[in-house]
Amino acid sequence: MKQTPAHDFYNSDLLAYIPPNCQRVVEVGCSTGALARAYLKSSPGCEYIGIEIDADYAEAARGTCARVIPADVEQMPDGEFNELFSSDCVVFGDTLEHLRDPWAVLRRIKPLLRENARVVACIPNAQHWSVQARLACGLFRYEDSGLLDRTHLRWFTRATSLELFETCGYRVVAGRPRLFDEPARESFLPAIRAMATAAGFDPELAVGDALPLQYVFSASAAAG
């Protein structure tokens, strides 16, 4: 199955979480290299390595990244994996949800990271108001891109994204929601508030967690 359509835009919120002047950054799911190009403008000395499962996207990224490995990160042999992830930052830009076992990948990476390294990620919000509305109507249909991307294998909310990192031994040191102008959501928020109240949960927290399209996180490999 073809991966999410490539584009030349990069996630500025994710870029802001990549520490400046890293010696080595590894981006899992680098697509055609848009984020790499943006980062290398301010940190040109970085060895920016991309891993990309789609061969066409990988070929396009070769003009930007120091190396591009056309591979499934979950199937990489130990020798190559261990050498590669000895890095200062690992980037998952809307990638973790495409993995069969993101928990195993994060645990496998953790002991390989350099001192003070960061793992940064952008994760789609499965609690988004539009997903809740579709579920309520029985219209959970996969699409070519977006929250219901047909290549998504895992689904996370704000709470379960934090649990993902914490259960794998990371400490989330920063995070931010990505909100966009979506006027249509105002019609659905009262229903979300009422549903949370009926379930015995905090209605205002439920509404707040239904607004972001994605979350961006920065995590430390140090568990303490």
Side-chain angles (χ1 to χ4, degrees), residues 110 113 116-119 165 169-174 218-224:
K110 185 175 179 287
L113 295 171
N116 299 318
R118 291 286 184 267
V119 172
F165 287 106
Y170 294 83
R171 179 169 58 92
V172 175
V173 297
S218 174
S220 167

Side-chain angles (χ1 to χ4, degrees), residues 11 26 40 49 63 78 85 116 124 139 163 167 175 183 190 204 210:
N11 183 331
V26 177
L40 290 169
I49 301 171
D78 287 342
F85 284 98
N116 299 318
L139 299 176
E163 290 173 4
T167 58
E204 297 311 314

Side-chain angles (χ1 to χ4, degrees), residues 24 26 49 51 69 76 80-87:
R24 176 185 282 182
V26 177
I49 301 171
I51 301 173
I69 294 93
M76 292 180 71
E80 183 179 24
F81 190 97
N82 294 350
E83 185 278 328
L84 193 62
F85 284 98
S86 175
S87 59

Side-chain angles (χ1 to χ4, degrees), residues 122-197:
C122 182
I123 302 177
N125 179 23
Q127 197 177 347
H128 190 258
W129 64 269
S130 67
V131 177
Q132 296 192 54
R134 293 183 191 199
L135 281 169
C137 299
L139 299 176
F140 194 93
R141 294 193 178 103
Y142 294 107
E143 300 173 349
D144 291 335
S145 62
L147 292 171
L148 299 182
D149 188 318
R150 67 184 74 256
T151 63
H152 287 182
L153 301 179
R154 300 292 180 177
W155 304 85
F156 297 99
T157 64
R158 177 190 59 81
T160 61
S161 293
L162 293 171
E163 290 173 4
L164 167 67
F165 287 106
E166 291 165 0
T167 58
C168 293
Y170 294 83
R171 179 169 58 92
V172 175
V173 297
R176 66 176 68 168
R178 302 193 79 216
L179 290 91
F180 298 88
D181 184 22
E182 299 172 320
R185 69 189 175 203
E186 297 304 322
S187 300
F188 296 91
L189 300 185
I192 292 172
R193 186 179 286 108
M195 185 164 56
T197 300

Side-chain angles (χ1 to χ4, degrees), residues 2-7 31 54 57 94 98 144-146 149 151-152:
K2 194 70 174 176
Q3 296 301 301
T4 304
H7 52 72
S31 188
D54 187 292
Y57 298 171
D94 295 277
H98 294 266
D144 291 335
S145 62
D149 188 318
T151 63
H152 287 182

